Amino acid sequence: MSRYILSIETSCDETACAILSPNAIQSEVVYSQVGHAHFGGVVPEMAARDHQSRLPLMVKELLESSGVRREELCEIAYTHGPGLAGSLLVGHYYALGLASALNIPLRGIHHLEGHIMSAFITHGQGSWSERFLASCPAIVLIVSGGHTLFVEVKKGAYTLLGETRDDAVGEIFDKIARIMGLAYPGGAALSKLAAMGRPIYPLPRPMTERNDAEMSFSGLKTAARMLYERLNLKDSHLLNSELHHQTRCDFAASFEQAIIDTLMYKVRYLMKTTGIKNFVVGGGVGANRTLREALLVWCEKENIRCILPEPAYCGDNASMIGVAAWIRKDLQASMVPPAFRLHAELAW
Ligand code: KG4
Ligand code: ZN
């Protein structure tokens, strides 16, 4: 009997594929492209070419290592958006070719739906859909390089509660990391420095005077940049001085704390006003230790179930796309298309 979904994720600079049964990951692989750091950000054309040259071999090796035969695949799932158009096209056409050759259905998954489902990879029991349903309704915070938003998830329906009006949290982590001389994507490296610092410098907590889920981070980014200049830290990463190092760590801690305080303000507001008892996180910044600790401590105090993906599943991966595909397959009749805006959805 065919009982595995092969999933593909190529929305940005991770080439990833996975094979999942209805309740377990059979095999998975993620390749993070390396050439972009030199340019300080993802170069779309390079990303698409890299996906194209790697994906076929990766899928072949994945099938071999999984022990799953092609005839045992019941569906091909892939990320249909949002993301970089060229990168998405590579995944789309590869998945289409594979599904046609095997004569099995093809399913496009919204990238953010994948991030939401990543938390269930290691939480709950039973099939993917049972784990998901056991956690509904939930408030989800997606914090990635391209998105920062809150979604209310009910069985089969998503409601966008609020989002950033400008920069995403991952994006400002990367931009501030860049001015600090840290390699792209610098979010994790900045956070490591922050762990050695004290949040002593004042920075704004944007839009916390508002009781809603709306956010804006570009002002905080500018304030951080000006603070960095005032502290005379420009080019100081080149200096080997203990004092400079400590000031850099204090700056990083102040910046990180401002982001986390802002997010926590919104989390507290939403959980209290909705009364929902499940809280889920998705996206690369979900791996941030300070954010995870703040969420776990607060949720425990409030008796809220805090469902965090394992750090390895916070960033882009194909298993989350496979989990989302299985959930859609199982709950087909009751699932509605996600209410997110699709920035680069492809027609197929
Ligand atoms: O979800 P993701 O892999 O890609 C998108 O869909 O955008 O998120 C990548 C983002 C990057 O901006 C990266 O710097 C950030 O997640 N990130 C972190 C940490 N780990 C990854 N930001 C802060 N602290 C971290 N530990
Ligand atoms: Zn992502």
Side-chain angles (χ1 to χ4, degrees):
M1 179 158 119
S2 311
R3 57 206 163 92
Y4 296 100
I5 290 183
L6 190 154
S7 56
I8 290 168
E9 155 65 43
T10 62
S11 65
C12 191
D13 57 343
E14 260 85 27
T15 316
C17 47
I19 295 177
L20 289 89
S21 74
N23 58 9
I25 295 171
Q26 206 66 23
S27 196
E28 59 182 339
V29 54
V30 180
Y31 171 76
S32 294
Q33 301 178 354
V34 283
H36 305 287
H38 176 68
F39 299 97
V42 179
V43 183
E45 189 58 31
M46 263 173 57
R49 281 168 203 257
D50 210 355
H51 288 308
Q52 194 163 17
S53 62
R54 276 174 208 279
L55 190 58
L57 193 60
M58 277 174 72
V59 170
K60 187 170 174 278
E61 287 176 358
L62 179 83
L63 275 160
E64 282 164 10
S65 67
S66 68
V68 171
R69 286 174 290 116
R70 284 171 172 70
E71 313 81 80
E72 292 180 293
L73 298 176
C74 59
E75 204 173 285
I76 306 293
Y78 73 102
T79 305
H80 74 68
L84 300 172
S87 295
L88 289 167
L89 275 169
V90 173
H92 166 73
Y93 281 111
Y94 185 78
L96 179 63
L98 201 57
S100 311
L102 298 173
N103 199 22
I104 55 176
L106 176 67
R107 189 187 296 273
I109 293 290
H110 195 290
H111 183 70
L112 299 189
E113 187 169 32
H115 274 307
I116 293 173
M117 301 312 177
S118 65
F120 303 109
I121 295 176
T122 46
H123 283 272
Q125 285 176 340
S127 67
W128 304 118
S129 44
E130 283 165 350
R131 298 179 194 200
F132 168 64
L133 291 178
S135 306
C136 285
I139 300 291
V140 183
L141 166 64
I142 294 181
V143 261
S144 71
H147 297 88
T148 300
L149 47 88
F150 285 97
V151 189
E152 185 178 336
V153 181
K154 294 199 187 103
K155 182 194 161 210
Y158 302 102
T159 309
L160 183 61
L161 300 176
E163 63 184 327
T164 180
R165 295 178 173 184
D166 36 59
D167 295 22
V169 165
E171 191 180 348
I172 68 162
F173 260 107
D174 293 344
K175 284 179 178 163
I176 296 302
R178 190 176 177 179
I179 66 163
M180 295 181 76
L182 303 169
Y184 177 87
L190 190 156
S191 183
K192 271 195 190 143
L193 289 181
M196 296 183 276
R198 302 151 300 167
I200 51 175
Y201 299 117
L203 282 169
R205 273 64 174 156
M207 293 178 82
T208 48
E209 75 289 355
R210 295 169 57 113
N211 281 332
D212 60 20
E214 293 299 312
M215 294 166 281
S216 161
F217 291 99
S218 72
L220 171 55
K221 177 186 66 187
T222 308
R225 187 175 282 153
M226 285 162 65
L227 171 64
Y228 196 76
E229 278 166 22
R230 265 204 320 280
L231 292 172
N232 246 336
L233 287 169
K234 257 184 142 193
D235 298 328
S236 67
H237 58 285
L238 304 172
L239 299 173
N240 195 10
S241 132
E242 197 47 48
L243 180 66
H244 268 104
H245 177 69
Q246 191 54 51
T247 313
R248 271 163 65 76
C249 293
D250 292 346
F251 167 79
S254 307
F255 171 70
E256 184 179 71
Q257 197 59 50
I259 292 174
I260 286 159
D261 285 353
T262 307
L263 291 174
M264 286 307 298
Y265 183 91
K266 300 288 171 178
V267 171
R268 283 195 299 270
Y269 168 75
L270 285 173
M271 299 313 287
K272 289 208 160 142
T273 49
T274 59
I276 289 176
K277 289 292 180 191
N278 293 305
F279 179 74
V280 176
V281 173
V285 186
N288 184 282
R289 276 174 60 180
T290 318
L291 175 62
R292 293 171 79 90
E293 267 167 42
L295 288 168
L296 286 168
V297 167
W298 185 77
C299 285
E300 190 177 354
K301 190 162 65 72
E302 298 295 320
N303 211 11
I304 288 168
R305 192 167 157 239
C306 186
I307 308 169
L308 304 177
E310 286 300 311
Y313 291 113
C314 287
D316 292 347
N317 64 87
S319 296
M320 68 184 195
I321 302 301
V323 171
W326 266 116
I327 292 171
R328 280 203 167 257
K329 188 171 160 63
D330 283 355
L331 309 179
Q332 201 128 39
S334 53
M335 296 288 274
V336 294
F340 306 127
R341 262 181 280 139
L342 303 185
H343 298 291
E345 189 184 7
L346 300 170
W348 77 94

